[in-house]
Amino acid sequence: LESHVLPLQRAPNDHIEVGAPPIKTKYGWLFVYSYIKNYFSSENRVFGIETALLDLKDPMKIIARTFKPILVPEEEYEKFGHVPNIIFPSGTLLERGVLRFYYGAADTTCCLASVNFKDFMKELFIPQLNEARLVRFPGNPILEPIRAHPWEAKAVFNPGAVLGNGRVHLLYRAMSEDNTSVFGYAATK
């Protein structure tokens, strides 16, 4: 097994974490990841979601990328929770021209944001267009802790999403009041 560094980090104090598995598109592999600016500073740390488009034949070649977060904690459910001011991408789906980002917020809830795929790709290749805007789902959070279920009473977060048989299937991390982590499952049309 050979390993290499994908040069996405902009500053030595920043930190990158894998988010959702890459999506194969006609333009390349769309890679969604967590970019934490000022990771080692407890006061100025900013968690964001960013993307890079990687060459289909050589995924070490970056074709295009974002140079700032496409989403940062702004909503109450993203700012307040078990771990405040954190969003973390964990699932991405492309369906009928819409790119959906599933993410954990404040290590407490599961959320969704979406954007028109063509507009997003234009923005990725020509950032000054500023056409692509992620829109948070108005029903966020899509999953919250349920006190009546001891296994997910404290937190639900970091959903992975898969499209199958006309339904979105979510696997997510859930946490009980005693901090035991388990996987939860939810599905929707």
PDB file of all heavy atoms in Angstrom, residues 103-128:
ATOM      1  N   TYR A 103     -24.555  16.179   7.401  1.00  0.00           N
ATOM      2  CA  TYR A 103     -23.493  16.542   8.331  1.00  0.00           C
ATOM      3  C   TYR A 103     -23.975  16.475   9.778  1.00  0.00           C
ATOM      4  O   TYR A 103     -25.154  16.570  10.061  1.00  0.00           O
ATOM      5  CB  TYR A 103     -22.927  17.925   7.999  1.00  0.00           C
ATOM      6  CG  TYR A 103     -23.895  19.082   8.149  1.00  0.00           C
ATOM      7  CD1 TYR A 103     -23.906  19.863   9.308  1.00  0.00           C
ATOM      8  CD2 TYR A 103     -24.785  19.409   7.132  1.00  0.00           C
ATOM      9  CE1 TYR A 103     -24.773  20.931   9.447  1.00  0.00           C
ATOM     10  CE2 TYR A 103     -25.655  20.479   7.263  1.00  0.00           C
ATOM     11  CZ  TYR A 103     -25.644  21.233   8.415  1.00  0.00           C
ATOM     12  OH  TYR A 103     -26.510  22.291   8.551  1.00  0.00           O
ATOM     13  N   GLY A 104     -23.001  16.291  10.664  1.00  0.00           N
ATOM     14  CA  GLY A 104     -23.272  16.338  12.092  1.00  0.00           C
ATOM     15  C   GLY A 104     -23.090  17.764  12.567  1.00  0.00           C
ATOM     16  O   GLY A 104     -22.222  18.496  12.072  1.00  0.00           O
ATOM     17  N   ALA A 105     -23.911  18.190  13.524  1.00  0.00           N
ATOM     18  CA  ALA A 105     -23.837  19.551  14.050  1.00  0.00           C
ATOM     19  C   ALA A 105     -23.724  19.515  15.565  1.00  0.00           C
ATOM     20  O   ALA A 105     -24.541  18.876  16.236  1.00  0.00           O
ATOM     21  CB  ALA A 105     -25.063  20.350  13.630  1.00  0.00           C
ATOM     22  N   ALA A 106     -22.695  20.179  16.088  1.00  0.00           N
ATOM     23  CA  ALA A 106     -22.448  20.308  17.530  1.00  0.00           C
ATOM     24  C   ALA A 106     -22.395  18.941  18.216  1.00  0.00           C
ATOM     25  O   ALA A 106     -22.677  18.828  19.397  1.00  0.00           O
ATOM     26  CB  ALA A 106     -23.488  21.212  18.188  1.00  0.00           C
ATOM     27  N   ASP A 107     -22.005  17.912  17.461  1.00  0.00           N
ATOM     28  CA  ASP A 107     -21.954  16.536  17.966  1.00  0.00           C
ATOM     29  C   ASP A 107     -23.220  16.165  18.725  1.00  0.00           C
ATOM     30  O   ASP A 107     -23.194  15.443  19.715  1.00  0.00           O
ATOM     31  CB  ASP A 107     -20.710  16.303  18.836  1.00  0.00           C
ATOM     32  CG  ASP A 107     -19.503  15.922  18.009  1.00  0.00           C
ATOM     33  OD1 ASP A 107     -19.603  15.929  16.763  1.00  0.00           O
ATOM     34  OD2 ASP A 107     -18.463  15.597  18.583  1.00  0.00           O
ATOM     35  N   THR A 108     -24.356  16.686  18.237  1.00  0.00           N
ATOM     36  CA  THR A 108     -25.639  16.436  18.886  1.00  0.00           C
ATOM     37  C   THR A 108     -26.723  16.042  17.892  1.00  0.00           C
ATOM     38  O   THR A 108     -27.573  15.233  18.206  1.00  0.00           O
ATOM     39  CB  THR A 108     -26.091  17.691  19.662  1.00  0.00           C
ATOM     40  OG1 THR A 108     -25.024  18.105  20.526  1.00  0.00           O
ATOM     41  CG2 THR A 108     -27.318  17.414  20.507  1.00  0.00           C
ATOM     42  N   THR A 109     -26.710  16.633  16.684  1.00  0.00           N
ATOM     43  CA  THR A 109     -27.789  16.403  15.723  1.00  0.00           C
ATOM     44  C   THR A 109     -27.240  16.058  14.339  1.00  0.00           C
ATOM     45  O   THR A 109     -26.067  16.286  14.051  1.00  0.00           O
ATOM     46  CB  THR A 109     -28.688  17.648  15.594  1.00  0.00           C
ATOM     47  OG1 THR A 109     -27.891  18.741  15.143  1.00  0.00           O
ATOM     48  CG2 THR A 109     -29.355  18.009  16.901  1.00  0.00           C
ATOM     49  N   CYS A 110     -28.109  15.540  13.477  1.00  0.00           N
ATOM     50  CA  CYS A 110     -27.793  15.262  12.080  1.00  0.00           C
ATOM     51  C   CYS A 110     -28.545  16.274  11.223  1.00  0.00           C
ATOM     52  O   CYS A 110     -29.720  16.535  11.457  1.00  0.00           O
ATOM     53  CB  CYS A 110     -28.242  13.858  11.688  1.00  0.00           C
ATOM     54  SG  CYS A 110     -27.406  12.543  12.586  1.00  0.00           S
ATOM     55  N   CYS A 111     -27.853  16.830  10.222  1.00  0.00           N
ATOM     56  CA  CYS A 111     -28.444  17.891   9.411  1.00  0.00           C
ATOM     57  C   CYS A 111     -28.197  17.657   7.927  1.00  0.00           C
ATOM     58  O   CYS A 111     -27.443  16.776   7.542  1.00  0.00           O
ATOM     59  CB  CYS A 111     -27.858  19.230   9.831  1.00  0.00           C
ATOM     60  SG  CYS A 111     -28.146  19.613  11.562  1.00  0.00           S
ATOM     61  N   LEU A 112     -28.827  18.522   7.112  1.00  0.00           N
ATOM     62  CA  LEU A 112     -28.765  18.407   5.664  1.00  0.00           C
ATOM     63  C   LEU A 112     -28.699  19.793   5.041  1.00  0.00           C
ATOM     64  O   LEU A 112     -29.391  20.717   5.471  1.00  0.00           O
ATOM     65  CB  LEU A 112     -30.024  17.673   5.172  1.00  0.00           C
ATOM     66  CG  LEU A 112     -30.299  17.609   3.683  1.00  0.00           C
ATOM     67  CD1 LEU A 112     -29.220  16.825   2.952  1.00  0.00           C
ATOM     68  CD2 LEU A 112     -31.674  16.977   3.442  1.00  0.00           C
ATOM     69  N   ALA A 113     -27.840  19.938   4.021  1.00  0.00           N
ATOM     70  CA  ALA A 113     -27.788  21.154   3.208  1.00  0.00           C
ATOM     71  C   ALA A 113     -27.701  20.696   1.752  1.00  0.00           C
ATOM     72  O   ALA A 113     -27.169  19.614   1.467  1.00  0.00           O
ATOM     73  CB  ALA A 113     -26.588  22.016   3.571  1.00  0.00           C
ATOM     74  N   SER A 114     -28.225  21.503   0.828  1.00  0.00           N
ATOM     75  CA  SER A 114     -28.204  21.095  -0.571  1.00  0.00           C
ATOM     76  C   SER A 114     -27.910  22.283  -1.480  1.00  0.00           C
ATOM     77  O   SER A 114     -28.028  23.441  -1.082  1.00  0.00           O
ATOM     78  CB  SER A 114     -29.536  20.449  -0.951  1.00  0.00           C
ATOM     79  OG  SER A 114     -30.587  21.360  -0.783  1.00  0.00           O
ATOM     80  N   VAL A 115     -27.526  21.951  -2.723  1.00  0.00           N
ATOM     81  CA  VAL A 115     -27.207  22.964  -3.723  1.00  0.00           C
ATOM     82  C   VAL A 115     -27.418  22.355  -5.107  1.00  0.00           C
ATOM     83  O   VAL A 115     -27.287  21.137  -5.280  1.00  0.00           O
ATOM     84  CB  VAL A 115     -25.748  23.459  -3.542  1.00  0.00           C
ATOM     85  CG1 VAL A 115     -24.739  22.364  -3.831  1.00  0.00           C
ATOM     86  CG2 VAL A 115     -25.463  24.684  -4.374  1.00  0.00           C
ATOM     87  N   ASN A 116     -27.758  23.187  -6.080  1.00  0.00           N
ATOM     88  CA  ASN A 116     -27.840  22.741  -7.457  1.00  0.00           C
ATOM     89  C   ASN A 116     -26.444  22.321  -7.905  1.00  0.00           C
ATOM     90  O   ASN A 116     -25.487  23.095  -7.795  1.00  0.00           O
ATOM     91  CB  ASN A 116     -28.386  23.877  -8.334  1.00  0.00           C
ATOM     92  CG  ASN A 116     -28.423  23.508  -9.785  1.00  0.00           C
ATOM     93  OD1 ASN A 116     -27.394  23.468 -10.461  1.00  0.00           O
ATOM     94  ND2 ASN A 116     -29.614  23.231 -10.277  1.00  0.00           N
ATOM     95  N   PHE A 117     -26.306  21.101  -8.425  1.00  0.00           N
ATOM     96  CA  PHE A 117     -24.989  20.556  -8.758  1.00  0.00           C
ATOM     97  C   PHE A 117     -24.283  21.363  -9.839  1.00  0.00           C
ATOM     98  O   PHE A 117     -23.095  21.662  -9.718  1.00  0.00           O
ATOM     99  CB  PHE A 117     -25.108  19.084  -9.171  1.00  0.00           C
ATOM    100  CG  PHE A 117     -23.797  18.456  -9.520  1.00  0.00           C
ATOM    101  CD1 PHE A 117     -22.823  18.271  -8.547  1.00  0.00           C
ATOM    102  CD2 PHE A 117     -23.516  18.046 -10.802  1.00  0.00           C
ATOM    103  CE1 PHE A 117     -21.600  17.691  -8.844  1.00  0.00           C
ATOM    104  CE2 PHE A 117     -22.300  17.471 -11.119  1.00  0.00           C
ATOM    105  CZ  PHE A 117     -21.336  17.283 -10.144  1.00  0.00           C
ATOM    106  N   LYS A 118     -24.992  21.749 -10.906  1.00  0.00           N
ATOM    107  CA  LYS A 118     -24.352  22.505 -11.992  1.00  0.00           C
ATOM    108  C   LYS A 118     -23.843  23.850 -11.488  1.00  0.00           C
ATOM    109  O   LYS A 118     -22.733  24.264 -11.820  1.00  0.00           O
ATOM    110  CB  LYS A 118     -25.314  22.694 -13.165  1.00  0.00           C
ATOM    111  CG  LYS A 118     -25.523  21.444 -13.977  1.00  0.00           C
ATOM    112  CD  LYS A 118     -26.428  21.702 -15.162  1.00  0.00           C
ATOM    113  CE  LYS A 118     -26.642  20.414 -15.942  1.00  0.00           C
ATOM    114  NZ  LYS A 118     -27.554  20.602 -17.078  1.00  0.00           N
ATOM    115  N   ASP A 119     -24.639  24.537 -10.683  1.00  0.00           N
ATOM    116  CA  ASP A 119     -24.194  25.812 -10.114  1.00  0.00           C
ATOM    117  C   ASP A 119     -22.979  25.606  -9.217  1.00  0.00           C
ATOM    118  O   ASP A 119     -22.047  26.399  -9.225  1.00  0.00           O
ATOM    119  CB  ASP A 119     -25.312  26.476  -9.311  1.00  0.00           C
ATOM    120  CG  ASP A 119     -26.443  26.985 -10.188  1.00  0.00           C
ATOM    121  OD1 ASP A 119     -26.244  27.106 -11.415  1.00  0.00           O
ATOM    122  OD2 ASP A 119     -27.527  27.250  -9.634  1.00  0.00           O
ATOM    123  N   PHE A 120     -23.009  24.530  -8.448  1.00  0.00           N
ATOM    124  CA  PHE A 120     -21.888  24.241  -7.554  1.00  0.00           C
ATOM    125  C   PHE A 120     -20.613  23.992  -8.347  1.00  0.00           C
ATOM    126  O   PHE A 120     -19.542  24.494  -7.991  1.00  0.00           O
ATOM    127  CB  PHE A 120     -22.217  23.028  -6.674  1.00  0.00           C
ATOM    128  CG  PHE A 120     -21.164  22.734  -5.652  1.00  0.00           C
ATOM    129  CD1 PHE A 120     -21.071  23.490  -4.502  1.00  0.00           C
ATOM    130  CD2 PHE A 120     -20.256  21.705  -5.852  1.00  0.00           C
ATOM    131  CE1 PHE A 120     -20.088  23.224  -3.556  1.00  0.00           C
ATOM    132  CE2 PHE A 120     -19.270  21.443  -4.915  1.00  0.00           C
ATOM    133  CZ  PHE A 120     -19.192  22.202  -3.768  1.00  0.00           C
ATOM    134  N   MET A 121     -20.710  23.247  -9.438  1.00  0.00           N
ATOM    135  CA  MET A 121     -19.525  22.968 -10.254  1.00  0.00           C
ATOM    136  C   MET A 121     -18.997  24.246 -10.909  1.00  0.00           C
ATOM    137  O   MET A 121     -17.790  24.448 -10.986  1.00  0.00           O
ATOM    138  CB  MET A 121     -19.830  21.898 -11.308  1.00  0.00           C
ATOM    139  CG  MET A 121     -20.108  20.515 -10.712  1.00  0.00           C
ATOM    140  SD  MET A 121     -18.869  19.958  -9.508  1.00  0.00           S
ATOM    141  CE  MET A 121     -17.461  19.745 -10.548  1.00  0.00           C
ATOM    142  N   LYS A 122     -19.895  25.128 -11.379  1.00  0.00           N
ATOM    143  CA  LYS A 122     -19.453  26.411 -11.933  1.00  0.00           C
ATOM    144  C   LYS A 122     -18.674  27.189 -10.884  1.00  0.00           C
ATOM    145  O   LYS A 122     -17.623  27.752 -11.157  1.00  0.00           O
ATOM    146  CB  LYS A 122     -20.654  27.242 -12.398  1.00  0.00           C
ATOM    147  CG  LYS A 122     -21.274  26.797 -13.676  1.00  0.00           C
ATOM    148  CD  LYS A 122     -22.447  27.724 -14.000  1.00  0.00           C
ATOM    149  CE  LYS A 122     -23.367  27.118 -15.010  1.00  0.00           C
ATOM    150  NZ  LYS A 122     -24.589  27.914 -15.200  1.00  0.00           N
ATOM    151  N   GLU A 123     -19.212  27.229  -9.671  1.00  0.00           N
ATOM    152  CA  GLU A 123     -18.556  27.951  -8.574  1.00  0.00           C
ATOM    153  C   GLU A 123     -17.199  27.334  -8.253  1.00  0.00           C
ATOM    154  O   GLU A 123     -16.242  28.043  -7.959  1.00  0.00           O
ATOM    155  CB  GLU A 123     -19.457  27.944  -7.340  1.00  0.00           C
ATOM    156  CG  GLU A 123     -18.833  28.532  -6.105  1.00  0.00           C
ATOM    157  CD  GLU A 123     -18.667  30.038  -6.154  1.00  0.00           C
ATOM    158  OE1 GLU A 123     -19.284  30.694  -7.000  1.00  0.00           O
ATOM    159  OE2 GLU A 123     -17.900  30.552  -5.331  1.00  0.00           O
ATOM    160  N   LEU A 124     -17.114  26.016  -8.327  1.00  0.00           N
ATOM    161  CA  LEU A 124     -15.862  25.334  -8.013  1.00  0.00           C
ATOM    162  C   LEU A 124     -14.780  25.687  -9.029  1.00  0.00           C
ATOM    163  O   LEU A 124     -13.635  25.924  -8.671  1.00  0.00           O
ATOM    164  CB  LEU A 124     -16.106  23.821  -7.989  1.00  0.00           C
ATOM    165  CG  LEU A 124     -15.108  22.960  -7.250  1.00  0.00           C
ATOM    166  CD1 LEU A 124     -14.946  23.398  -5.801  1.00  0.00           C
ATOM    167  CD2 LEU A 124     -15.539  21.493  -7.297  1.00  0.00           C
ATOM    168  N   PHE A 125     -15.163  25.756 -10.313  1.00  0.00           N
ATOM    169  CA  PHE A 125     -14.194  26.064 -11.372  1.00  0.00           C
ATOM    170  C   PHE A 125     -13.957  27.559 -11.537  1.00  0.00           C
ATOM    171  O   PHE A 125     -12.881  27.980 -11.899  1.00  0.00           O
ATOM    172  CB  PHE A 125     -14.639  25.468 -12.712  1.00  0.00           C
ATOM    173  CG  PHE A 125     -14.379  24.000 -12.818  1.00  0.00           C
ATOM    174  CD1 PHE A 125     -15.422  23.094 -12.777  1.00  0.00           C
ATOM    175  CD2 PHE A 125     -13.093  23.511 -12.945  1.00  0.00           C
ATOM    176  CE1 PHE A 125     -15.197  21.732 -12.869  1.00  0.00           C
ATOM    177  CE2 PHE A 125     -12.847  22.153 -13.034  1.00  0.00           C
ATOM    178  CZ  PHE A 125     -13.898  21.260 -12.993  1.00  0.00           C
ATOM    179  N   ILE A 126     -14.991  28.375 -11.290  1.00  0.00           N
ATOM    180  CA  ILE A 126     -14.873  29.827 -11.461  1.00  0.00           C
ATOM    181  C   ILE A 126     -15.439  30.485 -10.192  1.00  0.00           C
ATOM    182  O   ILE A 126     -16.584  30.926 -10.170  1.00  0.00           O
ATOM    183  CB  ILE A 126     -15.630  30.314 -12.716  1.00  0.00           C
ATOM    184  CG1 ILE A 126     -15.243  29.462 -13.936  1.00  0.00           C
ATOM    185  CG2 ILE A 126     -15.357  31.784 -12.975  1.00  0.00           C
ATOM    186  CD1 ILE A 126     -16.113  29.687 -15.151  1.00  0.00           C
ATOM    187  N   PRO A 127     -14.638  30.540  -9.114  1.00  0.00           N
ATOM    188  CA  PRO A 127     -15.148  31.001  -7.818  1.00  0.00           C
ATOM    189  C   PRO A 127     -15.782  32.385  -7.818  1.00  0.00           C
ATOM    190  O   PRO A 127     -16.679  32.647  -7.031  1.00  0.00           O
ATOM    191  CB  PRO A 127     -13.915  30.978  -6.919  1.00  0.00           C
ATOM    192  CG  PRO A 127     -12.958  30.061  -7.591  1.00  0.00           C
ATOM    193  CD  PRO A 127     -13.255  30.150  -9.057  1.00  0.00           C
ATOM    194  N   GLN A 128     -15.376  33.280  -8.705  1.00  0.00           N
ATOM    195  CA  GLN A 128     -15.921  34.629  -8.690  1.00  0.00           C
ATOM    196  C   GLN A 128     -17.377  34.690  -9.150  1.00  0.00           C
ATOM    197  O   GLN A 128     -18.039  35.714  -8.995  1.00  0.00           O
ATOM    198  CB  GLN A 128     -15.053  35.604  -9.489  1.00  0.00           C
ATOM    199  CG  GLN A 128     -14.876  35.279 -10.939  1.00  0.00           C
ATOM    200  CD  GLN A 128     -13.691  34.368 -11.223  1.00  0.00           C
ATOM    201  OE1 GLN A 128     -13.288  33.572 -10.388  1.00  0.00           O
ATOM    202  NE2 GLN A 128     -13.130  34.481 -12.412  1.00  0.00           N
TER     203      GLN A 128
END
